Each structure stands twice: as C-alpha cells, then as structure tokens.
Short mmCIF file of all heavy atoms in Angstrom, two decimals:
data_model
loop_
_atom_site.label_atom_id
_atom_site.label_comp_id
_atom_site.label_asym_id
_atom_site.label_seq_id
_atom_site.Cartn_x
_atom_site.Cartn_y
_atom_site.Cartn_z
N MET A 1 -10.09 16.31 80.79
CA MET A 1 -8.70 16.91 80.63
C MET A 1 -8.22 16.82 79.11
O MET A 1 -8.54 15.77 78.52
CB MET A 1 -7.70 16.29 81.61
CG MET A 1 -6.31 16.80 81.42
SD MET A 1 -5.07 15.79 82.31
CE MET A 1 -5.27 16.28 83.97
N ALA A 2 -7.60 17.79 78.67
CA ALA A 2 -7.04 17.78 77.29
C ALA A 2 -6.00 16.75 77.28
O ALA A 2 -5.26 16.51 78.13
CB ALA A 2 -6.40 19.07 76.95
N LYS A 3 -5.98 16.07 76.05
CA LYS A 3 -5.08 14.95 75.86
C LYS A 3 -4.24 15.40 74.69
O LYS A 3 -4.72 16.05 73.79
CB LYS A 3 -5.75 13.63 75.66
CG LYS A 3 -6.51 13.23 76.79
CD LYS A 3 -5.82 12.21 77.67
CE LYS A 3 -5.64 10.88 76.99
NZ LYS A 3 -4.71 10.02 77.85
N GLY A 4 -3.10 14.77 74.53
CA GLY A 4 -2.39 15.01 73.35
C GLY A 4 -1.50 13.91 72.91
O GLY A 4 -1.53 12.75 73.67
N THR A 5 -0.71 13.98 71.82
CA THR A 5 0.17 13.01 71.53
C THR A 5 1.28 13.70 70.74
O THR A 5 1.20 14.82 70.40
CB THR A 5 -0.45 12.00 70.59
OG1 THR A 5 0.35 10.82 70.37
CG2 THR A 5 -0.77 12.59 69.21
N VAL A 6 2.49 13.04 70.72
CA VAL A 6 3.64 13.64 69.93
C VAL A 6 4.14 12.70 68.99
O VAL A 6 4.05 11.47 69.07
CB VAL A 6 4.73 13.97 71.00
CG1 VAL A 6 4.20 14.96 72.08
CG2 VAL A 6 5.29 12.73 71.72
N GLU A 7 4.78 13.31 67.95
CA GLU A 7 5.43 12.56 66.90
C GLU A 7 6.85 12.91 67.00
O GLU A 7 7.18 14.14 67.03
CB GLU A 7 4.80 13.03 65.56
CG GLU A 7 5.05 12.03 64.47
CD GLU A 7 4.24 12.46 63.24
OE1 GLU A 7 4.80 13.23 62.54
OE2 GLU A 7 3.12 12.03 63.03
N ILE A 8 7.62 11.96 67.13
CA ILE A 8 9.09 12.19 67.32
C ILE A 8 9.93 11.67 66.15
O ILE A 8 9.69 10.61 65.64
CB ILE A 8 9.72 11.49 68.61
CG1 ILE A 8 8.88 12.02 69.78
CG2 ILE A 8 11.14 11.78 68.81
CD1 ILE A 8 9.12 11.24 71.06
N ASP A 9 10.69 12.61 65.56
CA ASP A 9 11.64 12.13 64.43
C ASP A 9 12.81 11.45 65.03
O ASP A 9 13.80 12.04 65.32
CB ASP A 9 12.00 13.50 63.68
CG ASP A 9 12.78 13.20 62.44
OD1 ASP A 9 13.12 12.00 62.28
OD2 ASP A 9 12.86 14.10 61.50
N THR A 10 12.59 10.08 65.20
CA THR A 10 13.60 9.31 65.89
C THR A 10 14.93 9.34 65.20
O THR A 10 15.89 9.08 65.84
CB THR A 10 13.03 7.99 66.19
OG1 THR A 10 12.64 7.28 64.93
CG2 THR A 10 11.82 7.99 67.07
N ALA A 11 14.87 9.40 63.84
CA ALA A 11 16.07 9.30 63.13
C ALA A 11 16.99 10.46 63.34
O ALA A 11 18.17 10.42 63.28
CB ALA A 11 15.87 9.17 61.62
N ARG A 12 16.45 11.64 63.73
CA ARG A 12 17.18 12.84 64.04
C ARG A 12 17.48 13.08 65.46
O ARG A 12 18.23 13.93 65.80
CB ARG A 12 16.44 14.13 63.37
CG ARG A 12 16.44 14.06 61.93
CD ARG A 12 15.67 15.26 61.32
NE ARG A 12 16.06 16.58 61.91
CZ ARG A 12 15.26 17.41 62.59
NH1 ARG A 12 13.93 16.96 62.72
NH2 ARG A 12 15.73 18.47 63.18
N CYS A 13 16.76 12.34 66.35
CA CYS A 13 17.00 12.56 67.72
C CYS A 13 18.46 12.21 68.11
O CYS A 13 18.97 11.12 67.73
CB CYS A 13 15.98 11.61 68.58
SG CYS A 13 16.13 11.52 70.28
N LYS A 14 18.95 12.95 69.05
CA LYS A 14 20.29 12.80 69.63
C LYS A 14 20.28 12.20 71.03
O LYS A 14 21.43 12.03 71.57
CB LYS A 14 21.07 14.07 69.58
CG LYS A 14 21.30 14.72 68.19
CD LYS A 14 22.29 15.95 68.20
CE LYS A 14 21.59 17.01 69.03
NZ LYS A 14 22.44 18.36 68.88
N GLY A 15 19.14 11.88 71.51
CA GLY A 15 19.08 11.31 72.89
C GLY A 15 19.60 12.14 74.05
O GLY A 15 20.01 11.62 74.97
N CYS A 16 19.40 13.44 73.90
CA CYS A 16 19.85 14.32 74.88
C CYS A 16 19.04 14.36 76.13
O CYS A 16 19.43 14.81 77.24
CB CYS A 16 20.00 15.81 74.37
SG CYS A 16 18.35 16.55 74.08
N GLU A 17 17.87 13.74 76.02
CA GLU A 17 16.98 13.68 77.20
C GLU A 17 16.34 14.83 77.67
O GLU A 17 15.63 14.85 78.74
CB GLU A 17 17.66 12.93 78.36
CG GLU A 17 17.52 11.34 78.36
CD GLU A 17 17.97 10.72 79.63
OE1 GLU A 17 19.11 10.84 79.97
OE2 GLU A 17 17.17 10.02 80.25
N LEU A 18 16.48 15.99 76.99
CA LEU A 18 15.88 17.18 77.49
C LEU A 18 14.39 17.20 77.58
O LEU A 18 13.68 17.57 78.47
CB LEU A 18 16.31 18.49 76.65
CG LEU A 18 17.71 18.97 76.87
CD1 LEU A 18 18.01 20.08 75.84
CD2 LEU A 18 17.91 19.45 78.28
N CYS A 19 13.81 16.46 76.55
CA CYS A 19 12.28 16.33 76.49
C CYS A 19 11.99 15.31 77.59
O CYS A 19 10.85 15.58 78.08
CB CYS A 19 11.92 15.76 75.13
SG CYS A 19 12.67 14.11 74.71
N VAL A 20 12.72 14.40 77.89
CA VAL A 20 12.28 13.38 78.86
C VAL A 20 12.15 14.03 80.26
O VAL A 20 11.24 13.89 80.96
CB VAL A 20 13.32 12.21 79.00
CG1 VAL A 20 12.89 11.36 80.17
CG2 VAL A 20 13.47 11.49 77.68
N VAL A 21 13.13 14.92 80.59
CA VAL A 21 13.12 15.64 81.76
C VAL A 21 11.95 16.66 81.83
O VAL A 21 11.36 16.98 82.91
CB VAL A 21 14.47 16.29 81.97
CG1 VAL A 21 14.54 17.20 83.17
CG2 VAL A 21 15.57 15.35 82.06
N ALA A 22 11.73 17.33 80.65
CA ALA A 22 10.72 18.34 80.57
C ALA A 22 9.29 17.91 80.71
O ALA A 22 8.49 18.74 81.21
CB ALA A 22 10.87 19.18 79.32
N CYS A 23 9.06 16.66 80.45
CA CYS A 23 7.67 16.34 80.45
C CYS A 23 7.09 16.12 81.87
O CYS A 23 7.59 15.44 82.66
CB CYS A 23 7.52 14.91 79.75
SG CYS A 23 5.83 14.32 79.81
N PRO A 24 5.99 16.91 82.15
CA PRO A 24 5.38 16.93 83.49
C PRO A 24 4.79 15.64 83.91
O PRO A 24 4.46 15.31 85.03
CB PRO A 24 4.47 18.16 83.48
CG PRO A 24 3.96 18.20 82.00
CD PRO A 24 5.20 17.77 81.19
N THR A 25 4.38 14.82 82.99
CA THR A 25 3.64 13.63 83.19
C THR A 25 4.44 12.37 82.81
O THR A 25 3.87 11.22 82.72
CB THR A 25 2.34 13.56 82.53
OG1 THR A 25 2.51 13.80 81.04
CG2 THR A 25 1.40 14.68 82.96
N ASP A 26 5.75 12.40 82.68
CA ASP A 26 6.59 11.39 82.46
C ASP A 26 6.22 10.44 81.35
O ASP A 26 6.31 9.21 81.36
CB ASP A 26 6.70 10.39 83.77
CG ASP A 26 7.59 11.11 84.81
OD1 ASP A 26 8.45 11.95 84.41
OD2 ASP A 26 7.25 10.86 86.03
N VAL A 27 5.83 11.10 80.25
CA VAL A 27 5.44 10.30 78.96
C VAL A 27 6.60 9.69 78.25
O VAL A 27 6.54 8.54 77.81
CB VAL A 27 4.64 11.20 78.05
CG1 VAL A 27 4.30 10.56 76.74
CG2 VAL A 27 3.38 11.78 78.70
N LEU A 28 7.59 10.47 78.25
CA LEU A 28 8.82 10.13 77.32
C LEU A 28 9.86 9.41 78.04
O LEU A 28 10.13 9.59 79.34
CB LEU A 28 9.31 11.46 76.75
CG LEU A 28 8.29 12.29 75.91
CD1 LEU A 28 8.87 13.59 75.64
CD2 LEU A 28 7.71 11.54 74.78
N ALA A 29 10.59 8.52 77.29
CA ALA A 29 11.74 7.79 77.80
C ALA A 29 12.62 7.38 76.66
O ALA A 29 12.18 7.45 75.50
CB ALA A 29 11.26 6.41 78.53
N LEU A 30 13.86 7.12 76.94
CA LEU A 30 14.71 6.88 75.84
C LEU A 30 14.61 5.44 75.48
O LEU A 30 14.27 4.61 76.36
CB LEU A 30 16.23 7.08 76.16
CG LEU A 30 16.68 8.59 76.26
CD1 LEU A 30 18.17 8.72 76.43
CD2 LEU A 30 16.15 9.39 75.23
N SER A 31 14.81 5.11 74.29
CA SER A 31 14.66 3.74 73.65
C SER A 31 15.68 2.86 74.17
O SER A 31 16.69 3.20 74.81
CB SER A 31 14.82 3.75 72.14
OG SER A 31 16.04 4.23 71.77
N GLN A 32 15.52 1.51 73.95
CA GLN A 32 16.43 0.50 74.38
C GLN A 32 17.48 0.21 73.13
O GLN A 32 18.45 -0.34 73.35
CB GLN A 32 15.80 -0.83 74.71
CG GLN A 32 14.70 -0.68 75.83
CD GLN A 32 15.40 -0.36 77.16
OE1 GLN A 32 16.32 -1.01 77.53
NE2 GLN A 32 14.80 0.47 77.96
N THR A 33 17.09 0.72 72.04
CA THR A 33 17.91 0.43 70.84
C THR A 33 18.32 1.72 70.17
O THR A 33 17.79 2.75 70.43
CB THR A 33 17.00 -0.36 69.84
OG1 THR A 33 15.86 0.43 69.65
CG2 THR A 33 16.66 -1.70 70.36
N PHE A 34 19.41 1.66 69.47
CA PHE A 34 19.92 2.91 68.85
C PHE A 34 19.21 3.22 67.46
O PHE A 34 18.64 2.30 66.84
CB PHE A 34 21.34 2.66 68.42
CG PHE A 34 22.35 2.25 69.60
CD1 PHE A 34 23.11 1.12 69.45
CD2 PHE A 34 22.49 3.07 70.52
CE1 PHE A 34 23.92 0.69 70.44
CE2 PHE A 34 23.39 2.73 71.60
CZ PHE A 34 24.13 1.60 71.60
N ASN A 35 19.36 4.53 67.11
CA ASN A 35 18.79 4.89 65.78
C ASN A 35 19.92 4.81 64.89
O ASN A 35 21.08 4.32 65.29
CB ASN A 35 18.19 6.29 65.85
CG ASN A 35 19.20 7.32 66.18
OD1 ASN A 35 20.39 7.17 66.20
ND2 ASN A 35 18.69 8.52 66.49
N SER A 36 19.77 5.15 63.69
CA SER A 36 20.92 4.98 62.64
C SER A 36 22.11 5.86 62.90
O SER A 36 23.19 5.45 62.40
CB SER A 36 20.32 5.32 61.22
OG SER A 36 19.91 6.66 61.18
N LYS A 37 21.96 6.83 63.68
CA LYS A 37 23.18 7.57 64.05
C LYS A 37 23.93 7.02 65.39
O LYS A 37 24.88 7.53 65.81
CB LYS A 37 22.79 9.08 64.37
CG LYS A 37 22.31 9.84 63.17
CD LYS A 37 22.08 11.31 63.58
CE LYS A 37 21.43 12.12 62.48
NZ LYS A 37 20.94 13.32 63.03
N GLY A 38 23.32 6.02 66.00
CA GLY A 38 23.97 5.41 67.13
C GLY A 38 23.42 6.02 68.46
O GLY A 38 24.14 5.87 69.50
N TYR A 39 22.30 6.69 68.39
CA TYR A 39 21.86 7.26 69.63
C TYR A 39 20.63 6.58 70.16
O TYR A 39 19.84 6.15 69.38
CB TYR A 39 21.48 8.85 69.45
CG TYR A 39 22.62 9.72 69.09
CD1 TYR A 39 22.52 10.35 67.81
CD2 TYR A 39 23.55 9.95 69.90
CE1 TYR A 39 23.55 11.23 67.42
CE2 TYR A 39 24.65 10.79 69.54
CZ TYR A 39 24.58 11.40 68.34
OH TYR A 39 25.65 12.34 68.01
N TYR A 40 20.40 6.48 71.45
CA TYR A 40 19.14 6.11 71.91
C TYR A 40 18.23 7.31 71.73
O TYR A 40 18.57 8.53 71.82
CB TYR A 40 19.14 5.90 73.44
CG TYR A 40 20.01 4.78 73.88
CD1 TYR A 40 21.18 4.96 74.66
CD2 TYR A 40 19.70 3.52 73.55
CE1 TYR A 40 22.00 3.84 75.16
CE2 TYR A 40 20.53 2.41 73.97
CZ TYR A 40 21.68 2.60 74.74
OH TYR A 40 22.44 1.50 75.08
N TYR A 41 16.95 6.97 71.36
CA TYR A 41 16.13 8.11 70.97
C TYR A 41 14.90 8.15 71.79
O TYR A 41 14.56 7.16 72.48
CB TYR A 41 15.57 7.90 69.50
CG TYR A 41 15.06 6.50 69.17
CD1 TYR A 41 13.74 6.25 69.37
CD2 TYR A 41 16.00 5.59 68.65
CE1 TYR A 41 13.27 5.03 69.06
CE2 TYR A 41 15.47 4.25 68.43
CZ TYR A 41 14.15 4.04 68.57
OH TYR A 41 13.64 2.76 68.38
N ALA A 42 14.30 9.33 71.89
CA ALA A 42 13.07 9.52 72.81
C ALA A 42 11.88 8.87 72.14
O ALA A 42 11.76 8.79 70.92
CB ALA A 42 12.92 11.00 72.90
N GLN A 43 10.99 8.34 72.96
CA GLN A 43 9.80 7.67 72.52
C GLN A 43 8.77 7.78 73.52
O GLN A 43 9.02 8.15 74.71
CB GLN A 43 10.01 6.25 72.05
CG GLN A 43 10.57 5.44 73.19
CD GLN A 43 10.95 3.98 72.82
OE1 GLN A 43 11.04 3.67 71.54
NE2 GLN A 43 11.20 3.14 73.78
N MET A 44 7.53 7.53 73.18
CA MET A 44 6.43 7.65 74.17
C MET A 44 6.30 6.37 74.94
O MET A 44 5.77 5.40 74.52
CB MET A 44 5.08 7.85 73.42
CG MET A 44 5.01 9.39 72.85
SD MET A 44 3.35 9.61 72.21
CE MET A 44 2.61 10.57 73.58
N ALA A 45 6.69 6.36 76.16
CA ALA A 45 6.71 5.23 77.06
C ALA A 45 5.32 5.01 77.62
O ALA A 45 4.81 3.94 77.85
CB ALA A 45 7.80 5.32 78.16
N LYS A 46 4.76 6.14 77.89
CA LYS A 46 3.35 6.24 78.52
C LYS A 46 2.39 7.16 77.77
O LYS A 46 2.12 8.25 78.15
CB LYS A 46 3.45 6.72 79.96
CG LYS A 46 4.22 5.74 80.82
CD LYS A 46 4.06 6.30 82.30
CE LYS A 46 5.26 5.88 83.15
NZ LYS A 46 5.24 6.79 84.41
N PRO A 47 2.07 6.79 76.44
CA PRO A 47 1.36 7.66 75.59
C PRO A 47 0.07 8.05 76.21
O PRO A 47 -0.37 9.21 75.90
CB PRO A 47 1.04 6.78 74.39
CG PRO A 47 1.54 5.46 74.83
CD PRO A 47 2.43 5.42 75.86
N ASP A 48 -0.54 7.31 77.05
CA ASP A 48 -1.84 7.73 77.59
C ASP A 48 -1.73 8.87 78.64
O ASP A 48 -2.76 9.50 78.91
CB ASP A 48 -2.58 6.51 78.45
CG ASP A 48 -2.97 5.44 77.47
OD1 ASP A 48 -3.12 5.72 76.28
OD2 ASP A 48 -3.16 4.33 77.93
N GLU A 49 -0.57 9.28 79.04
CA GLU A 49 -0.36 10.24 80.02
C GLU A 49 -0.17 11.56 79.38
O GLU A 49 -0.07 12.61 80.07
CB GLU A 49 0.84 9.89 80.92
CG GLU A 49 0.75 8.59 81.74
CD GLU A 49 -0.37 8.65 82.66
OE1 GLU A 49 -0.48 9.59 83.41
OE2 GLU A 49 -1.17 7.67 82.75
N CYS A 50 -0.05 11.67 78.05
CA CYS A 50 0.34 12.93 77.45
C CYS A 50 -0.92 13.91 77.53
O CYS A 50 -2.06 13.57 77.22
CB CYS A 50 0.66 12.69 75.84
SG CYS A 50 1.11 14.27 75.09
N ILE A 51 -0.54 15.16 77.97
CA ILE A 51 -1.65 16.15 78.09
C ILE A 51 -1.54 17.27 76.93
O ILE A 51 -2.30 18.24 77.02
CB ILE A 51 -1.59 16.87 79.57
CG1 ILE A 51 -0.30 17.41 79.74
CG2 ILE A 51 -1.99 15.83 80.56
CD1 ILE A 51 -0.17 18.31 80.98
N GLY A 52 -0.53 17.04 76.06
CA GLY A 52 -0.52 17.89 75.08
C GLY A 52 0.05 19.35 75.33
O GLY A 52 -0.20 20.29 74.65
N CYS A 53 0.88 19.36 76.40
CA CYS A 53 1.40 20.73 76.80
C CYS A 53 2.43 21.30 76.01
O CYS A 53 2.72 22.51 76.09
CB CYS A 53 1.92 20.52 78.30
SG CYS A 53 3.50 19.62 78.33
N ALA A 54 2.99 20.50 75.10
CA ALA A 54 4.05 20.98 74.13
C ALA A 54 5.45 21.40 74.78
O ALA A 54 6.32 21.87 74.09
CB ALA A 54 3.57 22.15 73.37
N GLY A 55 5.51 21.03 76.03
CA GLY A 55 6.75 21.32 76.73
C GLY A 55 7.98 20.59 76.08
O GLY A 55 9.02 21.19 75.87
N CYS A 56 7.74 19.38 75.64
CA CYS A 56 8.89 18.65 75.11
C CYS A 56 9.21 19.26 73.67
O CYS A 56 10.45 19.27 73.40
CB CYS A 56 8.40 17.17 74.90
SG CYS A 56 6.83 17.07 73.93
N GLY A 57 8.30 19.71 73.01
CA GLY A 57 8.53 20.38 71.66
C GLY A 57 9.38 21.57 71.84
O GLY A 57 10.23 21.85 71.03
N TYR A 58 9.11 22.41 72.87
CA TYR A 58 9.89 23.62 73.02
C TYR A 58 11.36 23.31 73.42
O TYR A 58 12.14 24.13 73.00
CB TYR A 58 9.21 24.42 74.14
CG TYR A 58 7.86 25.14 73.80
CD1 TYR A 58 6.80 24.85 74.51
CD2 TYR A 58 7.86 25.98 72.71
CE1 TYR A 58 5.54 25.50 74.19
CE2 TYR A 58 6.65 26.61 72.35
CZ TYR A 58 5.57 26.34 72.96
OH TYR A 58 4.32 26.97 72.69
N VAL A 59 11.56 22.29 74.32
CA VAL A 59 12.98 22.13 74.69
C VAL A 59 13.87 21.41 73.72
O VAL A 59 15.00 21.49 73.92
CB VAL A 59 12.99 21.43 76.12
CG1 VAL A 59 12.25 22.29 77.16
CG2 VAL A 59 12.45 20.04 76.03
N CYS A 60 13.22 20.72 72.85
CA CYS A 60 14.07 19.92 71.89
C CYS A 60 15.01 20.81 71.12
O CYS A 60 14.48 21.61 70.30
CB CYS A 60 13.24 18.97 71.00
SG CYS A 60 14.36 18.11 69.86
N PRO A 61 16.27 20.76 71.15
CA PRO A 61 17.15 21.61 70.44
C PRO A 61 17.16 21.44 68.99
O PRO A 61 17.63 22.27 68.20
CB PRO A 61 18.61 21.32 71.12
CG PRO A 61 18.42 20.04 71.77
CD PRO A 61 17.03 19.82 72.13
N ASP A 62 16.66 20.26 68.57
CA ASP A 62 16.72 19.95 67.18
C ASP A 62 15.35 19.90 66.47
O ASP A 62 15.23 19.47 65.47
CB ASP A 62 17.46 18.62 66.95
CG ASP A 62 18.88 18.82 67.28
OD1 ASP A 62 19.68 19.26 66.43
OD2 ASP A 62 19.23 18.36 68.41
N ALA A 63 14.31 20.36 67.35
CA ALA A 63 12.90 20.31 66.89
C ALA A 63 12.52 19.05 66.20
O ALA A 63 11.89 19.03 65.10
CB ALA A 63 12.80 21.50 65.82
N CYS A 64 12.77 17.98 66.90
CA CYS A 64 12.48 16.60 66.55
C CYS A 64 10.88 16.31 66.83
O CYS A 64 10.50 15.17 66.47
CB CYS A 64 13.38 15.57 67.14
SG CYS A 64 15.07 15.85 66.77
N ILE A 65 10.32 16.99 67.72
CA ILE A 65 9.10 16.69 68.28
C ILE A 65 7.90 17.56 67.73
O ILE A 65 8.07 18.88 67.83
CB ILE A 65 9.14 16.71 69.80
CG1 ILE A 65 10.20 15.98 70.37
CG2 ILE A 65 7.70 16.23 70.43
CD1 ILE A 65 10.35 15.93 71.89
N THR A 66 6.95 16.99 67.28
CA THR A 66 5.74 17.62 66.91
C THR A 66 4.67 17.27 67.87
O THR A 66 4.43 16.05 68.04
CB THR A 66 5.24 17.31 65.43
OG1 THR A 66 6.33 17.43 64.61
CG2 THR A 66 4.21 18.19 64.97
N VAL A 67 3.95 18.24 68.50
CA VAL A 67 2.90 18.03 69.45
C VAL A 67 1.51 18.21 68.85
O VAL A 67 1.28 19.23 68.25
CB VAL A 67 3.05 18.88 70.69
CG1 VAL A 67 1.95 18.54 71.73
CG2 VAL A 67 4.42 18.69 71.28
N TYR A 68 0.63 17.21 69.05
CA TYR A 68 -0.68 17.24 68.62
C TYR A 68 -1.72 17.31 69.86
O TYR A 68 -1.46 16.44 70.77
CB TYR A 68 -1.13 16.16 67.62
CG TYR A 68 -0.21 16.12 66.42
CD1 TYR A 68 0.87 15.26 66.38
CD2 TYR A 68 -0.59 16.81 65.32
CE1 TYR A 68 1.63 15.19 65.24
CE2 TYR A 68 0.07 16.73 64.22
CZ TYR A 68 1.33 15.97 64.12
OH TYR A 68 2.02 15.90 63.01
N LYS A 69 -2.53 18.23 69.90
CA LYS A 69 -3.50 18.26 71.02
C LYS A 69 -4.82 17.70 70.44
O LYS A 69 -5.30 17.88 69.45
CB LYS A 69 -3.74 19.74 71.36
CG LYS A 69 -4.18 19.80 72.76
CD LYS A 69 -3.78 21.09 73.43
CE LYS A 69 -4.10 21.07 74.90
NZ LYS A 69 -3.66 22.22 75.58
N GLN A 70 -5.30 16.86 71.37
CA GLN A 70 -6.57 16.17 71.07
C GLN A 70 -7.74 16.62 71.88
O GLN A 70 -7.57 17.12 73.02
CB GLN A 70 -6.51 14.55 71.30
CG GLN A 70 -5.48 14.04 70.39
CD GLN A 70 -5.02 12.56 70.94
OE1 GLN A 70 -5.47 12.23 72.06
NE2 GLN A 70 -4.22 11.87 70.23
N LYS A 71 -8.95 16.75 71.33
CA LYS A 71 -10.04 17.18 72.13
C LYS A 71 -10.41 16.17 73.19
O LYS A 71 -10.39 14.84 72.89
CB LYS A 71 -11.25 17.34 71.24
CG LYS A 71 -11.07 18.48 70.32
CD LYS A 71 -11.81 19.75 70.87
CE LYS A 71 -11.40 21.03 70.07
NZ LYS A 71 -11.72 20.96 68.68
S1 LIG B 1 3.28 17.28 75.08
FE1 LIG B 1 3.68 17.67 77.26
S2 LIG B 1 2.77 15.88 78.22
FE2 LIG B 1 2.92 15.39 76.11
S3 LIG B 1 4.97 14.28 75.89
FE3 LIG B 1 5.32 16.39 75.53
S4 LIG B 1 5.92 17.31 77.50
FE4 LIG B 1 4.80 15.27 77.97
S1 LIG B 2 14.99 16.79 73.24
FE1 LIG B 2 15.04 16.21 71.08
S2 LIG B 2 16.99 15.47 70.62
FE2 LIG B 2 16.77 15.50 72.85
S3 LIG B 2 16.08 13.41 73.35
FE3 LIG B 2 14.14 14.65 73.07
S4 LIG B 2 13.69 14.47 70.89
FE4 LIG B 2 15.79 13.63 71.17
#
C-alpha cells in the first residue's frame, strides 16, 4: 500500500480541525500546546497510518499542509 507523510506549517495553522476530520485513517490530531498565534495546531499523531491521499491538504483553508507520497 502507498504510504505518505505530511508537512504542516504549524505556525500558520489556525486549529480549525478540518484536516483532522478529513483524514480517512485518523493520522492527524490537534496539539496539546499553542502555536505563537495562540491556536492548537494540527500534527501527525499516527504518522505510520498516512496513505498519502492528500485529503488533508485539499481541505486546509490556509494551505498549511504539504503532502508527500512515498513508494
Ligand atoms: S495525506 Fe491523507 S492519510 Fe495522510 S494525513 Fe493527509 S488525509 Fe490523512
Ligand atoms: S485544516 Fe489547516 S488550518 Fe485547519 S487545523 Fe488543519 S492544518 Fe490547521
């Protein structure tokens, strides 16, 4: 199965959780700590589960997520 990983611009993330909800394999979760803007930010809670589908990248309103697909 294809695997992927994502890079999240945590400083720009507003913690809207759209990406968390969009992920089919529950990879993403909000952080326990704030970023510099005072928001909880998205991060990879279960990185091994990422399939590189790019769904999170599409839904992020601020384009904070870059998706990389791995062979
Ligand atoms: S690329 Fe797909 S599987 Fe990976 S974190 Fe984003 S939504 Fe989840
Ligand atoms: S969709 Fe974008 S702004 Fe919203 S929590 Fe995810 S990374 Fe942050």
Side-chain angles (χ1 to χ4, degrees):
M1 182 193 274
K3 297 265 289 174
T5 190
V6 300
E7 200 172 86
I8 301 170
D9 187 344
T10 56
R12 289 177 50 239
C13 174
K14 296 188 298 196
C16 70
E17 267 192 301
L18 284 177
C19 58
V20 176
V21 175
C23 179
T25 54
D26 286 333
V27 171
L28 304 171
L30 290 191
S31 62
Q32 305 288 318
T33 52
F34 300 122
N35 64 13
S36 58
K37 290 184 187 166
Y39 297 119
Y40 294 118
Y41 51 88
Q43 58 187 10
M44 289 187 98
K46 296 185 207 162
D48 292 344
E49 302 293 317
C50 181
I51 57 173
C53 71
C56 56
Y58 285 125
V59 297
C60 180
D62 295 281
C64 300
I65 306 179
T66 308
V67 179
Y68 298 97
K69 201 147 189 175
Q70 297 162 353
K71 290 260 167 67

